Amino acid sequence: MSTRHEAGTAGPHHVLILGAGYAGMAAAIQLAARGKRREDVRVTLVNANELFTERLRLHMTGTGQPVARLSIPRLLEGTGARFVRGWVTAVDADERTVRIDDDRVLRYDTLVYGLGGVADTVAVPGAEDHAYTLDSVHDAESLAERLGRLGSGTVVVAGSGLTGVESAAEIAERHPELRVVLLGRHAPGAAMNPRAGAYLRSALDRLGVEVRGGVEVAKVLPDAVELAGGERVAAVAVLWTSGTRAAPLAAAGGLTVDERGRVVTDATLRSVSHPDVYAVGDAAAIRQRYGVMHGTCQGGMPTGVHAAVSIVRTLRGGQPRPFRFGYYHTPVSLGRDDAVVQFTRPDGSPRRWCLTGRLAARYKETVTASPWPTYARMRKAPASGAFWPRGGRFTREAP
């Protein structure tokens, strides 16, 4: 197998960005826009596909609904950033190299690691072999194809978090001929205020979703799931949405990671073991005063912007600043024309305010559709992407 070396360390400072998810795209656009007139910086974005994956719509793709085709190379046209299509197969943080498709090696001076997370199908026996996931468009399309061939039977959605709730609602609405069972350790909407949680559960009931909280899946079988305690729930299809983990590439590459494989960062989003690596989005274990951030689009894009701004500041001789972020909402779709939006404190705990029904559905669609035009706006005015809730007292350093 031949190896082609691309992008040496001589010449311009090479910033390599792995993953064109919400965070990686934000980093690439920001770096390209802020360094457009600089000849001493080169930006390369690596992604397995040329089309941007709207993870916020994968539950729609999973039920056969069409979504927009958003071209990453087209968005990058004229920015000076280079796009490389390929699978990242290895990272060597000590040598500052990344292997693509096993036959190309890219060298970097600064790395932005944004390869995201996937459903944790390893923790439960059988999940990896017998359950569907929503980790990619291909995975979602496989689920849609399966659901489209079923005329009856039970579909089990394992995991009562937001992805599980949205998926169960979408499947029930699009496939009323199927029985949908939502299983989870906690009741759906348990983290919401009483009104929002009650509305969410009543919407699931209206759609015919059977909810079983306080249960744990111990094993996934070809035609059922087995619960802790031995009970079996027959299933013609199982969708796994319970827990996430990061790809093993970071740990294998020498980066310090947490128990879920996420790169452990310092306050500025740099790897604690390799300061020339920034980790963003779901691939990073980012600690704030209220705890480690959980993966969402609302928090992912700011991490990408912050990493880009920090890299530019460092190249100008400055020091990166600490990253601060506070949550502000939790929008959950309940089919196409219904939703609930729980407004939150910066630490993610629920406020008294919430939206429900069609107004909430319009709010959710506005949020879901916002990243792509935001990237386009950042191309022209990169500073427009640098505004997000910093979290106030919830994220300030303790005295």
Side-chain angles (χ1 to χ4, degrees):
M1 182 182 298
S2 64
T3 300
R4 293 201 309 274
H5 290 270
E6 302 181 15
T9 55
H13 187 97
H14 186 205
V15 181
L16 183 61
I17 303 168
L18 304 184
Y22 293 110
M25 281 297 301
I29 293 296
Q30 282 285 324
L31 278 167
R34 292 175 182 270
K36 194 171 183 179
R37 294 180 177 84
R38 296 185 59 150
E39 296 182 355
D40 59 339
V41 179
R42 177 170 50 178
V43 179
T44 300
L45 174 63
V46 178
N47 199 58
N49 302 295
E50 292 187 358
L51 294 179
F52 178 71
T53 298
E54 292 186 283
R55 293 189 67 91
L56 296 178
R57 295 192 192 277
L58 284 178
H59 59 286
M60 297 172 59
T61 305
T63 52
Q65 300 175 68
V67 298
R69 295 174 60 84
L70 306 173
S71 170
I72 297 170
R74 186 171 300 171
L75 181 67
L76 294 177
E77 282 180 2
T79 66
R82 182 173 68 133
F83 176 75
V84 173
R85 179 177 179 178
W87 287 95
V88 178
T89 53
V91 174
D92 190 326
D94 293 329
E95 295 296 324
R96 295 185 182 180
T97 60
V98 172
R99 188 174 292 276
I100 310 296
D101 292 332
D102 282 335
D103 69 346
R104 288 179 290 172
V105 173
L106 305 181
R107 298 185 179 275
Y108 65 83
D109 298 299
T110 300
L111 181 70
V112 179
Y113 188 90
L115 291 178
V118 295
D120 187 3
T121 56
V122 176
V124 173
E128 192 162 13
D129 295 325
H130 305 303
Y132 292 87
T133 67
L134 295 178
D135 290 335
S136 67
V137 172
H138 174 74
D139 294 335
E141 289 176 342
S142 295
L143 173 63
E145 193 274 334
R146 173 64 173 163
L147 295 176
R149 288 190 286 109
L150 298 174
S152 62
T154 298
V155 176
V156 167
V157 179
S160 55
L162 303 186
T163 301
V165 168
E166 291 192 325
S167 300
E170 209 75 43
I171 294 170
E173 183 175 84
R174 299 286 293 186
H175 293 281
E177 74 280 6
L178 299 175
R179 174 182 177 231
V180 181
V181 179
L182 178 62
L183 305 176
R185 297 185 184 92
H186 307 288
M192 295 180 169
N193 70 32
R195 179 189 165 207
Y199 186 90
L200 183 150
R201 291 185 289 273
S202 69
L204 291 175
D205 184 63
R206 172 179 56 79
L207 290 166
V209 177
E210 299 178 31
V211 176
R212 295 190 59 182
V215 300
E216 185 169 353
V217 177
K219 185 184 299 184
V220 180
L221 305 169
D223 56 357
V225 296
E226 184 176 302
L227 305 181
E231 179 187 353
R232 290 191 179 186
V233 179
V236 293
V238 177
L239 174 61
W240 193 263
T241 69
S242 181
T244 60
R245 60 181 171 84
L249 290 169
L255 295 165
T256 298
V257 300
D258 71 354
E259 69 282 356
R260 287 166 52 184
R262 299 174 298 183
V263 177
V264 179
T265 73
D266 65 12
T268 70
L269 304 187
R270 293 182 299 187
S271 160
V272 295
S273 59
H274 294 78
D276 53 345
V277 177
Y278 287 81
V280 297
D282 295 353
I286 302 168
R287 181 165 293 280
Q288 299 286 283
R289 188 175 178 184
Y290 52 75
V292 177
M293 289 176 59
H294 55 80
T296 64
C297 173
Q298 65 176 304
M301 291 178 67
T303 65
V305 173
H306 182 86
V309 171
S310 296
I311 292 169
V312 171
R313 182 176 288 120
T314 301
L315 292 175
R316 291 173 177 168
Q319 292 294 320
R321 297 173 182 171
F323 175 76
R324 294 173 57 201
F325 174 80
Y327 300 104
Y328 47 95
H329 65 192
T330 303
V332 186
S333 64
L334 300 167
R336 290 300 82 218
D337 297 313
D338 197 4
V340 59
V341 179
Q342 172 68 72
F343 295 100
T344 68
R345 298 181 183 89
D347 65 350
S349 60
R351 295 185 184 273
R352 291 181 300 168
W353 315 311
C354 64
L355 296 177
T356 59
R358 289 182 178 272
L359 179 59
R362 289 196 291 270
Y363 183 105
K364 174 64 159 64
E365 174 56 28
T366 300
V367 170
T368 301
S370 65
W372 201 251
T374 298
Y375 296 141
R377 184 168 60 251
M378 287 195 300
R379 282 186 51 172
K380 301 177 181 178
S384 67
F387 296 94
W388 62 81
R390 261 59 179 188
R393 63 182 176 86
F394 288 86
T395 58
R396 292 194 192 100
E397 289 294 330

